[in-house]
Amino acid sequence: MPSQATAFGPGRVNLIGEHTDYNAGLALPFAISEGVTVRAAARDDRRIEAVAADLGERDSFSLGGADSGEGWRAFVRGAVGELARAGVALRGADLEISGTVPRGAGLSSSAALEVALVLALLFVSDVPEPDRLELARLCSRIENDWVGAQTGLLDQIASLCGSADRALLVDFRTLDVQPVVLELGNFKLVTLDSGEEHTHAGSGYNQRRAECAQAADRLRAASLRETTLETASGLPEPLSLRARHVITENERVRQAVKALERRDMLELGRLLDASHASLRDCYEVSTPAVEEAVARCKEAGALGARIMGGGFGGSVLALLAPAAVAPSGSVEVRPGPGAWAAVS
Ligand code: GLA
């Protein structure tokens, strides 16, 4: 039985396909090289002793029955609680958590944390890893039921299934995941933090999700994936606008895959801009700080730039042509491998 394990959960960038995951739609995310590392050492008792190294904070609870906690503690307690609920026989462990992905910046620090925690706990308890889509669902329950954010499966699938030089075309109706070659040549993808920290549980995210469910209900559809612009146009506002975003965004994902196949970066940039306009005007998840970050990317000559992730702050993603000078403070992102765990 390994007495020490290290697990890494990467953050993610979503190239395009925003707020489509919980609408049974399409998205094109990839895992990045920044993420969260959890080092686990088995204990002889049935306690979890966790340290958030970057925050200098601790948590301590018994495997038997932890209540939910606040902030990062909710993730640790949720990981243990959900694994126990899935019937996994966990060992007590010391956990040390550290990260390189900024929190609340739209790069999915939350999924990176859930994924790294769950893999470290499984590994140190010598429990074989279940199917990765199964794990993605388990991680998303941590976020839904312990953290209070009704997020979908986008971030967890990207973190768990990522692959170097590939984006993932995810169909959330079937959970089919297809790698798509992401060869940018001398073009660059960068993220620029708007400086506005967001939390899904505390933003309008849950409200947007409820509006989409309401729109689908009114159209007597299982999800917005089954609806058309024509039928959605009969909905009252803001539901018609929310549906318009989701329906057109699914189409932009399909077009982005084709643009990548043709290596047509101008078209990819145009799609990023169109996605941003839709997220700003129809989905209404942008903020003045985000608009400023998008404007800075466009001034730097970006072929396209858009708000990324849950919205209401966080980071902007921009596609830069080879000659463009990246805006100061931006960080280049490339697709990297998915989460891993190993004996340490
Ligand atoms: C957050 C959520 C995801 C997804 C995006 C928006 O990142 O965690 O499930 O809904 O927002 O595309």
Side-chain angles (χ1 to χ4, degrees):
M1 198 177 261
S3 57
Q4 299 214 347
T6 300
F8 176 74
R12 65 97 189 91
V13 153
N14 191 15
L15 191 53
I16 198 156
E18 218 66 90
H19 292 278
T20 49
D21 62 344
Y22 53 84
N23 288 304
L26 302 170
L28 198 55
F30 59 86
I32 56 176
S33 50
E34 291 75 22
V36 172
T37 301
V38 174
R39 293 201 169 75
R43 294 173 60 89
D44 293 333
D45 59 12
R46 293 188 38 80
R47 294 199 67 76
I48 296 289
E49 299 287 337
V51 177
D54 305 326
L55 303 172
E57 292 176 1
R58 315 182 71 85
D59 194 18
S60 165
F61 57 94
S62 126
L63 274 182
D67 318 330
S68 191
E70 292 296 314
W72 67 276
R73 294 181 179 87
F75 289 86
V76 183
R77 289 161 180 247
V80 169
E82 287 302 322
L83 285 167
R85 199 147 87 181
V88 173
L90 289 177
R91 288 176 90 178
D94 292 328
L95 303 174
E96 192 206 60
I97 304 162
S98 59
T100 52
V101 62
R103 283 181 297 279
L107 297 173
S108 213
S109 54
S110 306
L113 175 57
E114 291 147 20
V115 163
L117 280 166
V118 164
L119 287 180
L121 285 164
L122 284 169
F123 217 84
V124 82
S125 304
D126 206 23
V127 174
E129 202 191 291
D131 170 69
R132 289 222 158 181
L133 288 177
E134 215 30 69
L135 271 187
R137 287 197 194 88
L138 186 145
C139 288
S140 126
R141 290 197 293 273
I142 301 174
E143 195 138 340
N144 296 166
D145 300 344
W146 296 76
V147 181
Q150 299 310 312
T151 50
L153 283 169
L154 171 77
D155 309 338
Q156 293 77 10
I157 290 182
S159 181
L160 281 158
C161 304
S163 144
D165 302 323
R166 302 283 184 275
L168 304 173
L169 172 60
V170 188
D171 183 333
F172 292 93
R173 183 158 58 182
T174 56
L175 286 196
D176 180 53
V177 180
Q178 291 297 331
V180 173
V181 175
L182 185 57
E183 270 172 10
L184 296 167
N186 292 329
F187 290 80
K188 265 195 224 113
L189 283 168
V190 299
T191 60
L192 179 63
D193 194 344
S194 69
E196 195 168 354
E197 198 176 322
H198 74 145
T199 65
H200 295 141
S203 72
Y205 183 95
N206 289 349
Q207 190 197 343
R208 290 292 176 279
R209 186 164 180 160
E211 287 165 349
C212 288
Q214 217 185 319
D217 262 9
R218 281 183 179 237
L219 296 172
R220 297 188 199 292
S223 73
L224 288 181
R225 178 76 176 273
E226 323 299 328
T227 63
T228 61
L229 279 180
E230 203 186 349
T231 53
S233 65
L235 288 166
E237 283 194 13
L239 302 188
S240 58
L241 288 171
R242 308 298 186 245
R244 165 172 280 277
H245 166 72
V246 173
I247 295 164
T248 57
E249 186 77 351
N250 284 334
E251 188 46 36
R252 282 185 287 273
V253 174
R254 291 191 192 93
Q255 291 175 17
V257 172
K258 288 191 189 139
L260 284 176
E261 279 164 7
R262 296 193 308 268
R263 306 229 184 133
D264 184 347
M265 295 302 149
L266 280 182
E267 170 67 357
L268 185 61
R270 187 193 70 75
L271 291 165
L272 295 186
D273 280 345
S275 172
H276 181 71
S278 177
L279 286 158
R280 181 192 58 214
D281 302 336
C282 297
Y283 221 67
E284 298 179 279
V285 290
S286 191
T287 65
V290 168
E291 289 307 310
E292 205 183 303
V294 168
R296 282 187 55 211
C297 293
K298 296 296 285 182
E299 277 154 24
L303 299 176
R306 65 174 202 85
I307 184 171
M308 194 177 58
F312 305 99
S315 291
V316 158
L317 175 71
L319 176 65
L320 299 179
V325 178
S328 68
S330 66
V331 179
E332 186 174 356
V333 282
R334 290 169 192 278
W340 53 264
V343 177
S344 54

